[in-house]
Amino acid sequence: MSEEAGPLLVVYDDPSDQRSLSLDDTSSTEESPDETRLSLETTNDAIPYMGQRFATHDAAYEFYSEFAKRCGFSIRRHRTEGKDGVGKGLTRRYFVCHRAGNTPIKASNESKPQRNRKSSRCGCQAYMRISKSTELGASEWRITGFLNHHNHELLEPNQVRFLPAYRTISDTDKSRILMFAKTGISVHQMIKLMELEKCVEPGYLPFTEKDVRNLLQSFRKLDPEEESIDLLRMCRNIKERDPNFKFEYTLDSNNRLENITWSYASSVQSYEIFGDAVVFDTTHRLTAFDMPLGIWVGMNNYGMPCFFGCVLLREENLRSFSWALKAFLGFMNGKAPQTILTDQNMCLKEAVALELPMTKHALCIWMIVGKFPSWFNAVLGERYNEWKTEFFRIYNLESIEDFELGWMEMVNSFGLHANRHIANLYGLRLLWALPFLRTHFFAGMTTNGQSKSINAFIQRFLSAQTRLAHFVEQAAVAVDFRDQAGEQQTMQQNLQNICLKTGAPMESHAATILTPFAFSKLQEQLVLAAHYASFQMDDGFLVRHHTKAEGGRKVYWAPREGIISCSCHHFEFSGILCRHALRVFSTGNCFQIPDRYLPIRWRRISTPSAKLFQSTPSDHAERIQILQSMVSTLVTESAKSKERLDIANEQISILLSRIKEQPVSLQGMRDVSSVHEVFDSRIYQK
């Protein structure tokens, strides 16, 4: 072994390491050849040891990287040293823990916003040093320094794979992702599909959604500035054809499109009645441009999702979200929702508090649950499904005391005391756990069935995206017209014979007022009310299940004022009276539910769009009315026998196939949308 003396050239792979990490010859001791041989004879080759030899420095790096992965950390190249002179080359290399060094202080730039990202560096001193030696004319590298003491916790094997150093997208997967992108599906859907294709558990791909988004960003081929111009032109064209179409936008200092939001006339009209509870979903992006996309959605009186508005943002920050909420309120004539459901986004949380101070802000449970596989699947392993069942049990509890006790028992049972996601969820429990939210109205959008319905609606909306400029117009078609399955669902609700189950006058009265969706919810409570006993107290009624001797709900009833309230807050939460209040009504010989407890938003009503259609009919719309009358007659006549139904189904299927082959127009579709409610109301009148 021979190394010539001389000045060393030191090069840092990361300049920020120069002052934050000091590794020199005093940190380890050079070993003699004899000691090296002893180490080779007695040491497991899976663990780095002094004097261990490698043919190249890259081989040494790969060896140390594999060792780090098994131990629960990753590594990076720290610095290289070489002799000052022609042909001298590298003589030493340092590889350090990924948490070595400290975060460099960046110079502030007022014109450019800074991202406050927390650094993972904590000054860890673990490292491996290799030195080049030459014996008998052959060069090799050997370990001359090694320290494996860390000042931070090492990751478990099922967690270490999430470190950036171990997240990779193969060429095959890249091609697959780009193919998916061309179809317009979301990144979340891409991940789900690839997990199914590779037969891996959720969260076990060698890359994350963020990695996929970064990949798509790097492959962007369209000119964003040109697309933005086309998008504005498209919005202006729609505005010319439909003066009730609304859109707002902002430009940056370079006069380029920064943010844009829009809403359709039918959406504004629907919001007048159904805008009491709103979901603002900001978890999606336009795939081709990786642009954050926000969608405002609500729930109509038939329990079906309705679209209120859409926004594209360049950045997800407080300023952008505040602008979006202000513009949305402007579209809706300044009417703020009673409640708004969003994703876990601190900037959005601040924006809601700032722009909607009187609105109750909560977190969408299905957006939280959608992250569970990546958060807990690897941590809990085989107990993941068991834990998820327990989570939903606790989530649906009625009292805060029961929730707190159940949460503590869950954490203890599954050993999640140190899990940061569990700690974060508990810290935000006032925003998502039902025991803390039951005094606020959510239109049933926190139930599992309705959350799936809304999510499916949003996915259909997103499927309209192709080029950015065409997105607004194509989304209009997706919004204004329910797909075939949605139309069938509405028709089934309209035409079904409502079955009365209790025979109570309250039930038959409510059946004539509420939509089938809302009535089914009230009917559930009416059936359950028969199983409860009521006891009159000095200050109201105590209502409890007939099998229980203790507990129950407190109901206050003022018959003269027509006011009733229950400590379970079911009416405040859903707009449907609870079994406890209905039991008190029955005890007090009340045969009709007071009007105030049959909310307009759950009634069989015509929306403003239907009234608008009635006052300003067009030739096209009149022909639609005639067609609807014929359809109504067709249904009536066909229902009279099985043979008639068979003929109708066969012929209508053929006719529908021919109709779908014909071209469509945007205006024609809107005429159809505006008469839907008229058709609904006529069916009810019959």
Side-chain angles (χ1 to χ4, degrees):
M1 179 179 67
S2 63
E3 290 187 14
E4 297 180 18
L8 288 176
L9 284 179
V10 181
V11 179
Y12 289 84
D13 288 72
D14 186 340
S16 64
D17 286 336
Q18 188 165 357
R19 294 187 180 89
S20 62
L21 185 63
S22 176
L23 304 173
D24 53 34
D25 290 345
T26 62
S27 60
S28 63
T29 307
E30 295 276 357
E31 294 187 333
S32 67
D34 291 338
E35 293 171 324
T36 299
R37 285 192 292 271
L38 180 62
S39 297
L40 286 169
E41 293 169 358
T42 61
T43 307
N44 188 339
D45 281 352
I47 302 174
Y49 56 88
M50 299 294 289
Q52 186 174 359
R53 293 182 170 91
F54 303 93
T56 65
H57 58 79
D58 287 331
Y61 178 85
E62 292 299 325
F63 172 81
Y64 190 30
S65 179
E66 287 298 319
F67 168 77
K69 188 174 183 179
R70 292 194 302 273
C71 292
F73 67 102
S74 65
I75 64 170
R76 57 186 169 86
R77 292 176 172 85
H78 170 54
R79 78 182 189 212
T80 59
E81 296 176 354
K83 295 294 179 58
D84 186 10
V86 178
K88 300 296 182 181
L90 296 177
T91 59
R92 282 183 183 174
R93 295 218 66 159
Y94 289 81
F95 308 127
V96 298
C97 173
H98 72 287
R99 302 194 67 177
N102 296 303
T103 307
I105 300 176
K106 296 182 179 180
S108 60
N109 186 345
E110 296 182 357
S111 63
K112 184 178 180 181
Q114 299 291 326
R115 290 186 293 176
N116 295 320
R117 294 188 299 179
K118 185 177 180 181
S119 173
S120 64
R121 298 192 181 188
C122 60
C124 180
Q125 294 292 316
Y127 80 102
M128 185 178 86
R129 183 180 67 229
I130 58 174
S131 299
K132 186 178 182 180
S133 62
T134 303
E135 291 184 357
L136 302 176
S139 298
E140 63 178 4
W141 294 81
R142 66 185 185 91
I143 297 176
T144 57
F146 176 60
L147 182 65
N148 199 33
H149 296 295
H150 299 261
N151 65 350
H152 55 88
E153 291 187 6
L154 298 178
L155 300 177
E156 296 295 328
N158 54 14
Q159 296 173 320
V160 71
R161 59 194 176 84
F162 291 114
L163 291 174
Y166 305 126
R167 299 201 316 252
T168 58
I169 304 179
S170 67
D171 291 339
T172 302
D173 288 338
K174 287 179 181 178
S175 300
R176 196 82 175 138
I177 289 168
L178 292 176
M179 184 197 71
F180 285 146
K182 292 177 182 178
T183 67
I185 67 173
S186 67
V187 172
H188 183 69
Q189 288 174 311
M190 294 181 195
I191 293 291
K192 293 295 183 185
L193 284 172
M194 298 187 78
E195 286 172 346
L196 290 172
E197 290 176 349
K198 295 176 179 291
C199 298
V200 300
E201 292 292 326
Y204 273 82
L205 288 174
F207 48 84
T208 64
E209 288 191 20
K210 183 179 180 181
D211 299 326
V212 174
R213 290 196 178 97
N214 290 338
L215 175 68
L216 293 174
Q217 184 76 10
S218 67
F219 277 92
R220 279 170 47 177
K221 294 183 179 180
L222 294 175
D223 183 357
E225 189 169 351
E226 180 182 344
E227 283 284 295
S228 299
I229 295 172
D230 289 343
L231 176 60
L232 283 175
R233 185 184 297 115
M234 180 64 69
C235 286
R236 293 188 180 109
N237 290 340
I238 296 175
K239 182 73 172 178
E240 289 178 3
R241 299 197 302 267
D242 180 7
N244 292 318
F245 173 76
K246 298 184 178 183
F247 76 101
E248 295 286 343
Y249 64 93
T250 61
L251 303 176
D252 62 15
S253 57
N254 296 318
N255 208 37
R256 294 180 301 182
L257 184 66
E258 186 178 32
N259 307 305
I260 186 167
T261 182
W262 66 90
S263 183
Y264 309 99
S266 59
S267 300
V268 177
Q269 291 159 356
S270 294
Y271 184 86
E272 283 295 318
I273 298 176
F274 310 120
D276 41 16
V278 174
V279 172
F280 185 29
D281 189 345
T282 58
T283 61
H284 305 280
R285 291 172 178 262
L286 280 186
T287 309
F289 284 82
D290 197 32
M291 293 181 68
L293 174 71
I295 305 173
W296 286 279
V297 185
M299 185 70 66
N300 70 11
N301 51 339
Y302 292 98
M304 297 179 65
C306 51
F307 174 88
F308 293 142
C310 193
V311 63
L312 280 169
L313 304 171
R314 182 181 296 177
E315 298 289 343
E316 294 179 279
N317 53 36
L318 175 60
R319 175 174 167 272
S320 296
F321 284 132
S322 293
W323 174 85
L325 292 172
K326 280 182 181 178
F328 179 73
L329 285 179
F331 293 162
M332 305 306 167
N333 303 310
K335 179 183 177 181
Q338 295 178 32
T339 54
I340 187 168
L341 290 151
T342 72
D343 186 30
Q344 274 179 274
N345 186 305
M346 295 310 296
C347 291
L348 181 54
K349 182 175 181 292
E350 292 181 34
V352 170
L354 184 65
E355 305 300 336
L356 303 173
M358 304 304 293
T359 298
K360 173 61 180 177
H361 181 214
L363 301 179
C364 279
I365 187 61
W366 76 84
M367 296 183 192
I368 294 175
V369 172
K371 300 172 184 175
F372 280 0
S374 60
W375 285 357
F376 301 114
N377 199 18
V379 176
L380 294 169
E382 295 180 352
R383 300 194 69 190
Y384 171 72
N385 289 330
E386 178 189 353
W387 170 84
K388 194 174 178 181
T389 300
E390 178 64 10
F391 173 87
F392 277 114
R393 186 192 70 81
I394 297 170
Y395 165 75
N396 284 293
L397 290 172
E398 291 191 355
S399 75
I400 294 176
E401 294 77 11
D402 289 344
F403 174 86
E404 296 288 354
L405 180 61
W407 188 270
M408 187 184 307
E409 291 176 348
M410 179 193 72
V411 171
N412 291 334
S413 175
F414 291 89
L416 296 171
H417 304 84
N419 188 279
R420 63 186 180 92
H421 296 301
I422 286 291
N424 187 39
L425 282 174
Y426 183 75
L428 295 171
R429 63 194 183 284
L430 273 65
L431 296 177
W432 61 264
L434 292 188
F436 300 92
L437 300 175
R438 293 191 185 277
T439 57
H440 301 276
F441 181 70
F442 286 91
M445 291 192 292
T446 58
T447 64
N448 189 47
Q450 295 307 112
S451 64
K452 287 182 178 179
S453 174
I454 292 175
N455 193 49
F457 173 84
I458 291 174
Q459 292 304 325
R460 291 199 301 272
F461 176 84
L462 291 173
S463 68
Q465 63 167 293
T466 50
R467 289 192 61 191
L468 182 58
H470 297 160
F471 180 55
V472 180
E473 190 162 34
Q474 293 187 14
V477 177
V479 168
D480 285 347
F481 310 100
R482 289 166 279 192
D483 60 30
Q484 188 173 357
E487 290 178 359
Q488 289 175 353
Q489 180 181 349
T490 305
M491 288 292 291
Q492 287 169 1
Q493 283 197 17
N494 292 341
L495 299 174
Q496 67 184 0
N497 294 320
I498 293 176
C499 179
L500 301 180
K501 298 180 179 179
T502 68
M506 280 190 295
E507 183 184 23
S508 57
H509 171 243
T512 64
I513 297 175
L514 300 177
T515 63
F517 170 80
F519 175 73
S520 68
K521 302 299 181 184
L522 179 68
Q523 191 177 54
E524 289 176 9
Q525 297 299 315
L526 277 166
V527 171
L528 291 170
H531 299 269
Y532 282 73
S534 65
F535 307 92
Q536 188 162 6
M537 314 291 286
D538 293 337
D539 55 348
F541 293 82
L542 181 66
V543 182
R544 62 172 172 247
H545 198 270
H546 72 95
T547 61
K548 295 185 178 180
E550 297 181 354
R553 292 296 183 179
K554 192 69 175 295
V555 178
Y556 170 80
W557 184 31
R560 292 183 179 179
E561 292 81 7
I563 296 175
I564 193 167
S565 64
C566 180
S567 59
C568 75
H569 302 294
H570 189 271
F571 180 77
E572 293 86 344
F573 183 67
S574 65
I576 302 294
L577 276 177
C578 65
R579 65 200 75 170
H580 316 104
L582 292 169
R583 177 59 181 151
V584 171
F585 275 155
S586 180
T587 302
N589 297 321
C590 179
F591 300 108
Q592 284 192 357
I593 297 174
D595 281 350
R596 71 170 63 192
Y597 298 109
L598 297 171
I600 292 177
R601 70 115 50 236
W602 291 132
R603 295 189 184 192
R604 295 176 172 182
I605 56 173
S606 295
T607 63
S609 60
K611 296 175 183 177
L612 178 63
F613 165 77
Q614 288 175 316
S615 61
T616 58
S618 65
D619 292 339
H620 185 74
E622 287 176 356
R623 293 171 65 188
I624 293 176
Q625 282 186 297
I626 295 172
L627 177 61
Q628 288 178 335
S629 178
M630 294 170 62
V631 170
S632 179
T633 303
L634 174 66
V635 172
T636 302
E637 292 298 323
S638 301
K640 292 181 178 179
S641 71
K642 180 180 181 300
E643 291 74 18
R644 290 189 176 194
L645 275 175
D646 291 340
I647 294 173
N649 287 331
E650 180 182 353
Q651 295 301 317
I652 289 174
S653 296
I654 297 172
L655 179 61
L656 189 59
S657 297
R658 291 180 58 190
I659 290 173
K660 287 184 176 180
E661 293 174 356
Q662 304 304 311
V664 297
S665 68
L666 185 61
Q667 186 59 46
M669 294 180 195
R670 288 187 174 164
D671 286 340
V672 173
S673 179
S674 60
V675 300
H676 270 312
E677 295 298 340
V678 176
F679 183 41
D680 294 346
S681 62
R682 288 178 178 174
I683 291 174
Y684 290 135
Q685 292 167 4
K686 293 182 180 180

